[in-house]
């Protein structure tokens, strides 16, 4: 019975509660979920599709619209039917469950969006750290300049402070250079390198 095809008349007899016009509408509007052939304006529906058609009927009876019914069929994991041309037969129908592949693609896109957002936040953080370090360097330069001027006016005790501050300035400058280098390295990485770590 699984491979047996029913005419529209036989299908109507199997589903007496569903008008023929509704059956044809279900076949047309949800063709990707129902296994049938159309030969010379005559429908031949695989007998195994009766339960699916009953399910579609119930969804419409519950007041759902076409798009909502399609979404429910997808949620139920009903495989999408793809008809391909075959050299031996005029057409052959194969069932392909593309729903899981679509779900995987959605997950991949979501992952890529998250990675992009994390990268953007990381770059913003590095920029802020860079600004802070530059500000600190400028303040240290001003302090050193003040101390040098005081030193020139005869305050030799300040010499050690100048040396200490100068060393701090150099350390801070190295930090700025490291952060700038990290920012450049982060910018130059492509999104694929970030995802796959290559």
């Amino acid at each position: 019975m699984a491979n047996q095809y029913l005419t529209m008349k036989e299908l109507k007899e199997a589903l007496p509660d569903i008008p023929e016009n509704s059956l044809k509408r279900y076949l047309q509007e949800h063709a990707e979920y129902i296994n049938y052939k159309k030969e010379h304006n005559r429908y031949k529906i695989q007998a195994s599709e009766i339960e699916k058609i009953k399910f579609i009927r119930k969804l419409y009876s519950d007041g759902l619209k076409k798009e909502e019914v399609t979404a429910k069929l997808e949620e139920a994991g009903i495989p999408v039917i793809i008809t391909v041309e075959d050299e031996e037969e005029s057409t052959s129908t194969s069932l392909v469950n593309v729903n899981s592949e679509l779900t995987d693609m959605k997950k991949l896109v979501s992952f890529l969006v998250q990675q992009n957002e994390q990268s953007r936040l990381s770059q913003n953080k590095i920029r802020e750290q860079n600004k802070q370090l530059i500000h600190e360097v400028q303040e240290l330069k001003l302090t050193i300049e003040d101390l040098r001027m005081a030193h020139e006016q005869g305050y030799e005790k300040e010499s050690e402070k100048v040396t200490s501050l100068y060393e701090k300035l150099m350390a801070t400058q190295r930090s700025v250079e490291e952060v700038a280098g990290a920012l450049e390295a982060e910018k130059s990485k492509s999104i694929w390198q970030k995802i796959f770590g290559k």
Side-chain angles (χ1 to χ4, degrees), residues 12-57:
K12 180 74 187 89
E13 288 169 6
L15 299 166
D17 296 338
I18 306 176
E20 188 173 328
N21 285 343
S22 295
L23 288 171
K24 285 180 181 176
R25 184 167 55 89
Y26 300 159
L27 294 175
Q28 290 165 356
E29 292 186 352
H30 304 288
E32 68 271 26
Y33 292 101
I34 303 171
N35 193 1
Y36 75 93
K37 298 186 235 180
K38 192 174 181 187
E39 297 172 354
H40 309 293
N41 292 332
R42 291 188 181 173
Y43 291 94
K44 289 191 176 180
I45 303 95
Q46 199 165 44
S48 61
E49 301 299 284
I50 290 175
E51 290 306 312
K52 219 181 280 181
I53 293 169
K54 284 181 184 176
F55 181 56
I56 291 170
R57 175 67 173 182

mmCIF file of all heavy atoms in Angstrom, residues 12-57:
data_model
loop_
_atom_site.group_PDB
_atom_site.id
_atom_site.type_symbol
_atom_site.label_atom_id
_atom_site.label_comp_id
_atom_site.label_asym_id
_atom_site.label_seq_id
_atom_site.Cartn_x
_atom_site.Cartn_y
_atom_site.Cartn_z
ATOM 1 N N LYS A 12 -10.768 10.648 -2.312
ATOM 2 C CA LYS A 12 -12.012 11.226 -1.784
ATOM 3 C C LYS A 12 -12.795 10.160 -1.029
ATOM 4 O O LYS A 12 -13.386 10.427 0.027
ATOM 5 C CB LYS A 12 -12.835 11.809 -2.945
ATOM 6 C CG LYS A 12 -14.136 12.428 -2.541
ATOM 7 C CD LYS A 12 -13.910 13.761 -1.850
ATOM 8 C CE LYS A 12 -15.202 14.297 -1.292
ATOM 9 N NZ LYS A 12 -15.521 13.883 0.053
ATOM 10 N N GLU A 13 -12.771 8.930 -1.538
ATOM 11 C CA GLU A 13 -13.463 7.828 -0.849
ATOM 12 C C GLU A 13 -12.769 7.493 0.479
ATOM 13 O O GLU A 13 -13.421 7.173 1.470
ATOM 14 C CB GLU A 13 -13.510 6.575 -1.743
ATOM 15 C CG GLU A 13 -14.476 6.711 -2.905
ATOM 16 C CD GLU A 13 -14.337 5.588 -3.930
ATOM 17 O OE1 GLU A 13 -13.555 4.629 -3.692
ATOM 18 O OE2 GLU A 13 -14.988 5.680 -4.979
ATOM 19 N N ALA A 14 -11.432 7.598 0.482
ATOM 20 C CA ALA A 14 -10.682 7.316 1.705
ATOM 21 C C ALA A 14 -10.844 8.431 2.745
ATOM 22 O O ALA A 14 -10.711 8.197 3.944
ATOM 23 C CB ALA A 14 -9.201 7.124 1.376
ATOM 24 N N LEU A 15 -11.110 9.642 2.260
ATOM 25 C CA LEU A 15 -11.274 10.805 3.149
ATOM 26 C C LEU A 15 -12.619 11.482 2.860
ATOM 27 O O LEU A 15 -12.666 12.606 2.333
ATOM 28 C CB LEU A 15 -10.123 11.797 2.935
ATOM 29 C CG LEU A 15 -8.715 11.275 3.226
ATOM 30 C CD1 LEU A 15 -7.664 12.211 2.667
ATOM 31 C CD2 LEU A 15 -8.509 11.069 4.715
ATOM 32 N N PRO A 16 -13.726 10.841 3.194
ATOM 33 C CA PRO A 16 -15.051 11.362 2.808
ATOM 34 C C PRO A 16 -15.410 12.698 3.466
ATOM 35 O O PRO A 16 -16.247 13.433 2.942
ATOM 36 C CB PRO A 16 -16.018 10.254 3.259
ATOM 37 C CG PRO A 16 -15.278 9.494 4.318
ATOM 38 C CD PRO A 16 -13.837 9.595 3.970
ATOM 39 N N ASP A 17 -14.760 13.039 4.594
ATOM 40 C CA ASP A 17 -15.093 14.287 5.298
ATOM 41 C C ASP A 17 -14.429 15.522 4.677
ATOM 42 O O ASP A 17 -14.734 16.646 5.071
ATOM 43 C CB ASP A 17 -14.678 14.188 6.769
ATOM 44 C CG ASP A 17 -15.451 13.100 7.508
ATOM 45 O OD1 ASP A 17 -16.537 12.744 7.030
ATOM 46 O OD2 ASP A 17 -14.951 12.617 8.534
ATOM 47 N N ILE A 18 -13.520 15.303 3.716
ATOM 48 C CA ILE A 18 -12.806 16.439 3.124
ATOM 49 C C ILE A 18 -13.309 16.654 1.698
ATOM 50 O O ILE A 18 -13.218 15.757 0.861
ATOM 51 C CB ILE A 18 -11.279 16.201 3.110
ATOM 52 C CG1 ILE A 18 -10.776 15.852 4.526
ATOM 53 C CG2 ILE A 18 -10.548 17.432 2.572
ATOM 54 C CD1 ILE A 18 -9.299 15.498 4.594
ATOM 55 N N PRO A 19 -13.823 17.868 1.388
ATOM 56 C CA PRO A 19 -14.283 18.144 0.016
ATOM 57 C C PRO A 19 -13.129 18.039 -0.987
ATOM 58 O O PRO A 19 -11.973 18.312 -0.654
ATOM 59 C CB PRO A 19 -14.799 19.586 0.095
ATOM 60 C CG PRO A 19 -14.988 19.869 1.543
ATOM 61 C CD PRO A 19 -14.034 18.995 2.285
ATOM 62 N N GLU A 20 -13.465 17.680 -2.218
ATOM 63 C CA GLU A 20 -12.444 17.488 -3.260
ATOM 64 C C GLU A 20 -11.664 18.780 -3.521
ATOM 65 O O GLU A 20 -10.448 18.750 -3.715
ATOM 66 C CB GLU A 20 -13.102 16.993 -4.555
ATOM 67 C CG GLU A 20 -12.087 16.586 -5.607
ATOM 68 C CD GLU A 20 -12.721 15.932 -6.817
ATOM 69 O OE1 GLU A 20 -13.752 15.256 -6.672
ATOM 70 O OE2 GLU A 20 -12.161 16.118 -7.919
ATOM 71 N N ASN A 21 -12.360 19.909 -3.501
ATOM 72 C CA ASN A 21 -11.674 21.197 -3.730
ATOM 73 C C ASN A 21 -10.619 21.452 -2.655
ATOM 74 O O ASN A 21 -9.540 21.961 -2.939
ATOM 75 C CB ASN A 21 -12.681 22.355 -3.742
ATOM 76 C CG ASN A 21 -13.476 22.396 -5.031
ATOM 77 O OD1 ASN A 21 -13.082 21.782 -6.032
ATOM 78 N ND2 ASN A 21 -14.605 23.089 -5.011
ATOM 79 N N SER A 22 -10.939 21.079 -1.413
ATOM 80 C CA SER A 22 -9.976 21.254 -0.303
ATOM 81 C C SER A 22 -8.778 20.337 -0.508
ATOM 82 O O SER A 22 -7.627 20.739 -0.306
ATOM 83 C CB SER A 22 -10.633 20.953 1.037
ATOM 84 O OG SER A 22 -11.645 21.894 1.305
ATOM 85 N N LEU A 23 -9.042 19.082 -0.928
ATOM 86 C CA LEU A 23 -7.945 18.142 -1.189
ATOM 87 C C LEU A 23 -6.988 18.701 -2.239
ATOM 88 O O LEU A 23 -5.765 18.674 -2.069
ATOM 89 C CB LEU A 23 -8.495 16.783 -1.641
ATOM 90 C CG LEU A 23 -9.182 15.940 -0.573
ATOM 91 C CD1 LEU A 23 -9.871 14.733 -1.197
ATOM 92 C CD2 LEU A 23 -8.189 15.482 0.490
ATOM 93 N N LYS A 24 -7.558 19.215 -3.339
ATOM 94 C CA LYS A 24 -6.719 19.780 -4.421
ATOM 95 C C LYS A 24 -5.932 20.986 -3.910
ATOM 96 O O LYS A 24 -4.755 21.163 -4.241
ATOM 97 C CB LYS A 24 -7.589 20.182 -5.610
ATOM 98 C CG LYS A 24 -8.075 18.994 -6.424
ATOM 99 C CD LYS A 24 -8.925 19.448 -7.596
ATOM 100 C CE LYS A 24 -9.437 18.252 -8.386
ATOM 101 N NZ LYS A 24 -10.341 18.646 -9.461
ATOM 102 N N ARG A 25 -6.580 21.805 -3.071
ATOM 103 C CA ARG A 25 -5.905 22.987 -2.527
ATOM 104 C C ARG A 25 -4.737 22.568 -1.637
ATOM 105 O O ARG A 25 -3.650 23.146 -1.697
ATOM 106 C CB ARG A 25 -6.904 23.846 -1.739
ATOM 107 C CG ARG A 25 -6.332 25.138 -1.210
ATOM 108 C CD ARG A 25 -7.416 26.083 -0.727
ATOM 109 N NE ARG A 25 -8.288 25.494 0.257
ATOM 110 C CZ ARG A 25 -8.073 25.511 1.577
ATOM 111 N NH1 ARG A 25 -6.986 26.094 2.059
ATOM 112 N NH2 ARG A 25 -8.928 24.968 2.413
ATOM 113 N N TYR A 26 -4.932 21.536 -0.818
ATOM 114 C CA TYR A 26 -3.856 21.054 0.049
ATOM 115 C C TYR A 26 -2.676 20.560 -0.786
ATOM 116 O O TYR A 26 -1.521 20.819 -0.462
ATOM 117 C CB TYR A 26 -4.331 19.913 0.959
ATOM 118 C CG TYR A 26 -5.473 20.273 1.896
ATOM 119 C CD1 TYR A 26 -6.270 19.279 2.450
ATOM 120 C CD2 TYR A 26 -5.767 21.594 2.226
ATOM 121 C CE1 TYR A 26 -7.326 19.594 3.303
ATOM 122 C CE2 TYR A 26 -6.818 21.908 3.075
ATOM 123 C CZ TYR A 26 -7.600 20.909 3.606
ATOM 124 O OH TYR A 26 -8.626 21.209 4.457
ATOM 125 N N LEU A 27 -3.000 19.844 -1.887
ATOM 126 C CA LEU A 27 -1.936 19.329 -2.764
ATOM 127 C C LEU A 27 -1.152 20.473 -3.397
ATOM 128 O O LEU A 27 0.070 20.416 -3.511
ATOM 129 C CB LEU A 27 -2.522 18.433 -3.859
ATOM 130 C CG LEU A 27 -3.160 17.115 -3.396
ATOM 131 C CD1 LEU A 27 -3.794 16.392 -4.576
ATOM 132 C CD2 LEU A 27 -2.157 16.212 -2.708
ATOM 133 N N GLN A 28 -1.851 21.515 -3.813
ATOM 134 C CA GLN A 28 -1.185 22.643 -4.478
ATOM 135 C C GLN A 28 -0.396 23.507 -3.489
ATOM 136 O O GLN A 28 0.733 23.907 -3.760
ATOM 137 C CB GLN A 28 -2.230 23.504 -5.210
ATOM 138 C CG GLN A 28 -2.816 22.800 -6.423
ATOM 139 C CD GLN A 28 -4.082 23.484 -6.928
ATOM 140 O OE1 GLN A 28 -4.580 24.442 -6.336
ATOM 141 N NE2 GLN A 28 -4.612 22.979 -8.027
ATOM 142 N N GLU A 29 -1.009 23.783 -2.340
ATOM 143 C CA GLU A 29 -0.382 24.714 -1.395
ATOM 144 C C GLU A 29 0.717 24.073 -0.551
ATOM 145 O O GLU A 29 1.568 24.764 -0.017
ATOM 146 C CB GLU A 29 -1.439 25.347 -0.489
ATOM 147 C CG GLU A 29 -2.361 26.267 -1.266
ATOM 148 C CD GLU A 29 -3.340 27.020 -0.386
ATOM 149 O OE1 GLU A 29 -3.424 26.735 0.820
ATOM 150 O OE2 GLU A 29 -4.031 27.901 -0.919
ATOM 151 N N HIS A 30 0.698 22.745 -0.450
ATOM 152 C CA HIS A 30 1.703 22.057 0.370
ATOM 153 C C HIS A 30 2.349 20.927 -0.433
ATOM 154 O O HIS A 30 2.654 19.856 0.103
ATOM 155 C CB HIS A 30 1.073 21.540 1.674
ATOM 156 C CG HIS A 30 0.410 22.622 2.451
ATOM 157 N ND1 HIS A 30 1.116 23.604 3.119
ATOM 158 C CD2 HIS A 30 -0.903 22.929 2.620
ATOM 159 C CE1 HIS A 30 0.266 24.438 3.691
ATOM 160 N NE2 HIS A 30 -0.959 24.061 3.406
ATOM 161 N N ALA A 31 2.588 21.215 -1.712
ATOM 162 C CA ALA A 31 3.130 20.204 -2.631
ATOM 163 C C ALA A 31 4.474 19.657 -2.171
ATOM 164 O O ALA A 31 4.795 18.501 -2.420
ATOM 165 C CB ALA A 31 3.261 20.817 -4.031
ATOM 166 N N GLU A 32 5.254 20.493 -1.458
ATOM 167 C CA GLU A 32 6.587 20.044 -1.037
ATOM 168 C C GLU A 32 6.532 19.025 0.097
ATOM 169 O O GLU A 32 7.533 18.412 0.430
ATOM 170 C CB GLU A 32 7.470 21.243 -0.645
ATOM 171 C CG GLU A 32 7.050 21.967 0.609
ATOM 172 C CD GLU A 32 6.047 23.087 0.393
ATOM 173 O OE1 GLU A 32 5.281 23.047 -0.592
ATOM 174 O OE2 GLU A 32 6.000 24.007 1.229
ATOM 175 N N TYR A 33 5.330 18.845 0.690
ATOM 176 C CA TYR A 33 5.205 17.889 1.800
ATOM 177 C C TYR A 33 4.369 16.647 1.442
ATOM 178 O O TYR A 33 4.314 15.711 2.222
ATOM 179 C CB TYR A 33 4.572 18.570 3.024
ATOM 180 C CG TYR A 33 5.470 19.617 3.640
ATOM 181 C CD1 TYR A 33 5.287 20.972 3.409
ATOM 182 C CD2 TYR A 33 6.535 19.235 4.463
ATOM 183 C CE1 TYR A 33 6.132 21.923 3.970
ATOM 184 C CE2 TYR A 33 7.381 20.177 5.029
ATOM 185 C CZ TYR A 33 7.163 21.515 4.775
ATOM 186 O OH TYR A 33 7.999 22.450 5.335
ATOM 187 N N ILE A 34 3.694 16.676 0.304
ATOM 188 C CA ILE A 34 2.804 15.560 -0.060
ATOM 189 C C ILE A 34 3.341 14.881 -1.315
ATOM 190 O O ILE A 34 3.604 15.526 -2.332
ATOM 191 C CB ILE A 34 1.360 16.062 -0.297
ATOM 192 C CG1 ILE A 34 0.846 16.791 0.959
ATOM 193 C CG2 ILE A 34 0.449 14.901 -0.659
ATOM 194 C CD1 ILE A 34 -0.475 17.504 0.766
ATOM 195 N N ASN A 35 3.454 13.556 -1.251
ATOM 196 C CA ASN A 35 3.992 12.782 -2.367
ATOM 197 C C ASN A 35 2.862 12.444 -3.344
ATOM 198 O O ASN A 35 2.012 11.589 -3.067
ATOM 199 C CB ASN A 35 4.654 11.507 -1.836
ATOM 200 C CG ASN A 35 5.498 10.831 -2.890
ATOM 201 O OD1 ASN A 35 5.608 11.302 -4.010
ATOM 202 N ND2 ASN A 35 6.091 9.712 -2.519
ATOM 203 N N TYR A 36 2.832 13.139 -4.482
ATOM 204 C CA TYR A 36 1.815 12.876 -5.515
ATOM 205 C C TYR A 36 2.384 13.189 -6.883
ATOM 206 O O TYR A 36 3.423 13.831 -7.022
ATOM 207 C CB TYR A 36 0.548 13.692 -5.238
ATOM 208 C CG TYR A 36 0.680 15.158 -5.562
ATOM 209 C CD1 TYR A 36 0.312 15.654 -6.803
ATOM 210 C CD2 TYR A 36 1.173 16.057 -4.623
ATOM 211 C CE1 TYR A 36 0.432 16.996 -7.112
ATOM 212 C CE2 TYR A 36 1.303 17.398 -4.913
ATOM 213 C CZ TYR A 36 0.927 17.861 -6.161
ATOM 214 O OH TYR A 36 1.054 19.192 -6.459
ATOM 215 N N LYS A 37 1.672 12.711 -7.907
ATOM 216 C CA LYS A 37 2.032 13.014 -9.297
ATOM 217 C C LYS A 37 0.830 13.660 -9.954
ATOM 218 O O LYS A 37 -0.305 13.381 -9.575
ATOM 219 C CB LYS A 37 2.355 11.734 -10.072
ATOM 220 C CG LYS A 37 3.522 10.937 -9.572
ATOM 221 C CD LYS A 37 3.773 9.788 -10.554
ATOM 222 C CE LYS A 37 3.759 8.452 -9.843
ATOM 223 N NZ LYS A 37 3.993 7.321 -10.716
ATOM 224 N N LYS A 38 1.121 14.501 -10.926
ATOM 225 C CA LYS A 38 0.034 15.088 -11.703
ATOM 226 C C LYS A 38 0.288 14.728 -13.159
ATOM 227 O O LYS A 38 1.271 15.153 -13.749
ATOM 228 C CB LYS A 38 -0.019 16.598 -11.502
ATOM 229 C CG LYS A 38 -1.276 17.234 -12.046
ATOM 230 C CD LYS A 38 -1.352 18.709 -11.684
ATOM 231 C CE LYS A 38 -2.627 19.308 -12.229
ATOM 232 N NZ LYS A 38 -2.680 20.750 -12.051
ATOM 233 N N GLU A 39 -0.603 13.906 -13.708
ATOM 234 C CA GLU A 39 -0.465 13.473 -15.098
ATOM 235 C C GLU A 39 -1.706 13.886 -15.866
ATOM 236 O O GLU A 39 -2.813 13.435 -15.557
ATOM 237 C CB GLU A 39 -0.276 11.944 -15.164
ATOM 238 C CG GLU A 39 0.996 11.470 -14.478
ATOM 239 C CD GLU A 39 1.063 9.946 -14.383
ATOM 240 O OE1 GLU A 39 0.081 9.270 -14.734
ATOM 241 O OE2 GLU A 39 2.110 9.449 -13.925
ATOM 242 N N HIS A 40 -1.527 14.741 -16.873
ATOM 243 C CA HIS A 40 -2.650 15.216 -17.711
ATOM 244 C C HIS A 40 -3.799 15.750 -16.852
ATOM 245 O O HIS A 40 -4.947 15.323 -16.981
ATOM 246 C CB HIS A 40 -3.158 14.099 -18.625
ATOM 247 C CG HIS A 40 -2.063 13.437 -19.401
ATOM 248 N ND1 HIS A 40 -1.345 14.081 -20.382
ATOM 249 C CD2 HIS A 40 -1.550 12.175 -19.318
ATOM 250 C CE1 HIS A 40 -0.429 13.249 -20.874
ATOM 251 N NE2 HIS A 40 -0.535 12.081 -20.246
ATOM 252 N N ASN A 41 -3.478 16.658 -15.939
ATOM 253 C CA ASN A 41 -4.462 17.286 -15.033
ATOM 254 C C ASN A 41 -5.147 16.299 -14.096
ATOM 255 O O ASN A 41 -6.180 16.607 -13.512
ATOM 256 C CB ASN A 41 -5.530 18.061 -15.828
ATOM 257 C CG ASN A 41 -4.927 19.281 -16.495
ATOM 258 O OD1 ASN A 41 -3.956 19.838 -16.005
ATOM 259 N ND2 ASN A 41 -5.502 19.686 -17.612
ATOM 260 N N ARG A 42 -4.592 15.110 -13.950
ATOM 261 C CA ARG A 42 -5.152 14.134 -13.009
ATOM 262 C C ARG A 42 -4.133 13.881 -11.914
ATOM 263 O O ARG A 42 -2.958 13.656 -12.192
ATOM 264 C CB ARG A 42 -5.478 12.819 -13.723
ATOM 265 C CG ARG A 42 -6.640 12.967 -14.669
ATOM 266 C CD ARG A 42 -7.046 11.633 -15.207
ATOM 267 N NE ARG A 42 -8.151 11.806 -16.137
ATOM 268 C CZ ARG A 42 -8.640 10.859 -16.868
ATOM 269 N NH1 ARG A 42 -8.110 9.653 -16.817
ATOM 270 N NH2 ARG A 42 -9.638 11.078 -17.682
ATOM 271 N N TYR A 43 -4.622 13.933 -10.679
ATOM 272 C CA TYR A 43 -3.752 13.719 -9.530
ATOM 273 C C TYR A 43 -3.666 12.238 -9.201
ATOM 274 O O TYR A 43 -4.669 11.522 -9.239
ATOM 275 C CB TYR A 43 -4.296 14.459 -8.297
ATOM 276 C CG TYR A 43 -4.211 15.957 -8.404
ATOM 277 C CD1 TYR A 43 -5.285 16.708 -8.869
ATOM 278 C CD2 TYR A 43 -3.062 16.633 -8.023
ATOM 279 C CE1 TYR A 43 -5.214 18.089 -8.949
ATOM 280 C CE2 TYR A 43 -2.977 18.017 -8.095
ATOM 281 C CZ TYR A 43 -4.055 18.737 -8.561
ATOM 282 O OH TYR A 43 -3.988 20.102 -8.647
ATOM 283 N N LYS A 44 -2.462 11.797 -8.856
ATOM 284 C CA LYS A 44 -2.249 10.451 -8.327
ATOM 285 C C LYS A 44 -1.457 10.629 -7.029
ATOM 286 O O LYS A 44 -0.311 11.054 -7.061
ATOM 287 C CB LYS A 44 -1.483 9.590 -9.322
ATOM 288 C CG LYS A 44 -2.317 9.209 -10.532
ATOM 289 C CD LYS A 44 -1.641 8.149 -11.349
ATOM 290 C CE LYS A 44 -2.544 7.718 -12.490
ATOM 291 N NZ LYS A 44 -1.910 6.688 -13.315
ATOM 292 N N ILE A 45 -2.132 10.314 -5.929
ATOM 293 C CA ILE A 45 -1.556 10.572 -4.618
ATOM 294 C C ILE A 45 -1.122 9.246 -3.987
ATOM 295 O O ILE A 45 -1.885 8.271 -4.005
ATOM 296 C CB ILE A 45 -2.591 11.260 -3.692
ATOM 297 C CG1 ILE A 45 -3.097 12.555 -4.343
ATOM 298 C CG2 ILE A 45 -1.984 11.569 -2.331
ATOM 299 C CD1 ILE A 45 -4.357 12.418 -5.100
ATOM 300 N N GLN A 46 0.086 9.231 -3.438
ATOM 301 C CA GLN A 46 0.566 8.007 -2.806
ATOM 302 C C GLN A 46 -0.306 7.705 -1.581
ATOM 303 O O GLN A 46 -0.614 8.587 -0.784
ATOM 304 C CB GLN A 46 2.038 8.154 -2.396
ATOM 305 C CG GLN A 46 2.701 6.824 -2.170
ATOM 306 C CD GLN A 46 4.215 6.941 -2.138
ATOM 307 O OE1 GLN A 46 4.744 7.854 -1.520
ATOM 308 N NE2 GLN A 46 4.889 6.022 -2.792
ATOM 309 N N ALA A 47 -0.706 6.449 -1.450
ATOM 310 C CA ALA A 47 -1.626 6.039 -0.384
ATOM 311 C C ALA A 47 -1.082 6.359 0.998
ATOM 312 O O ALA A 47 -1.842 6.662 1.927
ATOM 313 C CB ALA A 47 -1.920 4.543 -0.514
ATOM 314 N N SER A 48 0.231 6.324 1.142
ATOM 315 C CA SER A 48 0.842 6.589 2.450
ATOM 316 C C SER A 48 0.676 8.046 2.906
ATOM 317 O O SER A 48 0.982 8.386 4.045
ATOM 318 C CB SER A 48 2.330 6.239 2.407
ATOM 319 O OG SER A 48 2.975 7.038 1.435
ATOM 320 N N GLU A 49 0.185 8.912 2.031
ATOM 321 C CA GLU A 49 0.053 10.343 2.360
ATOM 322 C C GLU A 49 -1.272 10.682 3.037
ATOM 323 O O GLU A 49 -1.480 11.830 3.431
ATOM 324 C CB GLU A 49 0.204 11.194 1.084
ATOM 325 C CG GLU A 49 1.533 10.998 0.366
ATOM 326 C CD GLU A 49 2.723 11.379 1.222
ATOM 327 O OE1 GLU A 49 2.976 12.580 1.385
ATOM 328 O OE2 GLU A 49 3.401 10.478 1.748
ATOM 329 N N ILE A 50 -2.143 9.704 3.194
ATOM 330 C CA ILE A 50 -3.472 9.968 3.773
ATOM 331 C C ILE A 50 -3.370 10.600 5.163
ATOM 332 O O ILE A 50 -4.040 11.594 5.465
ATOM 333 C CB ILE A 50 -4.327 8.674 3.797
ATOM 334 C CG1 ILE A 50 -4.721 8.306 2.356
ATOM 335 C CG2 ILE A 50 -5.562 8.838 4.672
ATOM 336 C CD1 ILE A 50 -5.453 6.992 2.210
ATOM 337 N N GLU A 51 -2.501 10.057 6.030
ATOM 338 C CA GLU A 51 -2.363 10.591 7.389
ATOM 339 C C GLU A 51 -1.868 12.040 7.375
ATOM 340 O O GLU A 51 -2.290 12.871 8.180
ATOM 341 C CB GLU A 51 -1.434 9.717 8.236
ATOM 342 C CG GLU A 51 -2.015 8.364 8.598
ATOM 343 C CD GLU A 51 -3.382 8.451 9.275
ATOM 344 O OE1 GLU A 51 -3.536 9.262 10.219
ATOM 345 O OE2 GLU A 51 -4.303 7.723 8.853
ATOM 346 N N LYS A 52 -0.972 12.316 6.439
ATOM 347 C CA LYS A 52 -0.432 13.679 6.318
ATOM 348 C C LYS A 52 -1.550 14.646 5.922
ATOM 349 O O LYS A 52 -1.640 15.760 6.453
ATOM 350 C CB LYS A 52 0.668 13.679 5.251
ATOM 351 C CG LYS A 52 1.842 14.550 5.586
ATOM 352 C CD LYS A 52 2.873 14.519 4.484
ATOM 353 C CE LYS A 52 3.742 13.266 4.567
ATOM 354 N NZ LYS A 52 4.768 13.241 3.525
ATOM 355 N N ILE A 53 -2.397 14.210 4.973
ATOM 356 C CA ILE A 53 -3.503 15.061 4.519
ATOM 357 C C ILE A 53 -4.497 15.281 5.661
ATOM 358 O O ILE A 53 -4.995 16.397 5.856
ATOM 359 C CB ILE A 53 -4.188 14.448 3.271
ATOM 360 C CG1 ILE A 53 -3.201 14.479 2.083
ATOM 361 C CG2 ILE A 53 -5.464 15.201 2.920
ATOM 362 C CD1 ILE A 53 -3.630 13.678 0.877
ATOM 363 N N LYS A 54 -4.732 14.250 6.468
ATOM 364 C CA LYS A 54 -5.618 14.397 7.641
ATOM 365 C C LYS A 54 -5.030 15.433 8.612
ATOM 366 O O LYS A 54 -5.753 16.247 9.182
ATOM 367 C CB LYS A 54 -5.782 13.057 8.365
ATOM 368 C CG LYS A 54 -6.701 12.079 7.680
ATOM 369 C CD LYS A 54 -6.793 10.809 8.532
ATOM 370 C CE LYS A 54 -7.609 9.729 7.875
ATOM 371 N NZ LYS A 54 -7.607 8.482 8.666
ATOM 372 N N PHE A 55 -3.712 15.381 8.794
ATOM 373 C CA PHE A 55 -3.026 16.320 9.686
ATOM 374 C C PHE A 55 -3.176 17.760 9.166
ATOM 375 O O PHE A 55 -3.473 18.685 9.928
ATOM 376 C CB PHE A 55 -1.548 15.934 9.808
ATOM 377 C CG PHE A 55 -0.735 16.816 10.712
ATOM 378 C CD1 PHE A 55 -1.092 17.031 12.034
ATOM 379 C CD2 PHE A 55 0.424 17.445 10.240
ATOM 380 C CE1 PHE A 55 -0.326 17.842 12.877
ATOM 381 C CE2 PHE A 55 1.187 18.257 11.071
ATOM 382 C CZ PHE A 55 0.802 18.455 12.392
ATOM 383 N N ILE A 56 -3.008 17.927 7.859
ATOM 384 C CA ILE A 56 -3.161 19.258 7.244
ATOM 385 C C ILE A 56 -4.592 19.754 7.435
ATOM 386 O O ILE A 56 -4.823 20.913 7.787
ATOM 387 C CB ILE A 56 -2.769 19.215 5.746
ATOM 388 C CG1 ILE A 56 -1.251 18.990 5.615
ATOM 389 C CG2 ILE A 56 -3.189 20.486 5.031
ATOM 390 C CD1 ILE A 56 -0.774 18.696 4.202
ATOM 391 N N ARG A 57 -5.552 18.857 7.233
ATOM 392 C CA ARG A 57 -6.969 19.206 7.405
ATOM 393 C C ARG A 57 -7.224 19.689 8.838
ATOM 394 O O ARG A 57 -7.902 20.695 9.060
ATOM 395 C CB ARG A 57 -7.842 17.991 7.077
ATOM 396 C CG ARG A 57 -9.323 18.185 7.335
ATOM 397 C CD ARG A 57 -9.907 19.210 6.401
ATOM 398 N NE ARG A 57 -11.362 19.282 6.530
ATOM 399 C CZ ARG A 57 -12.110 20.075 5.799
ATOM 400 N NH1 ARG A 57 -11.559 20.844 4.883
ATOM 401 N NH2 ARG A 57 -13.402 20.099 5.956
#
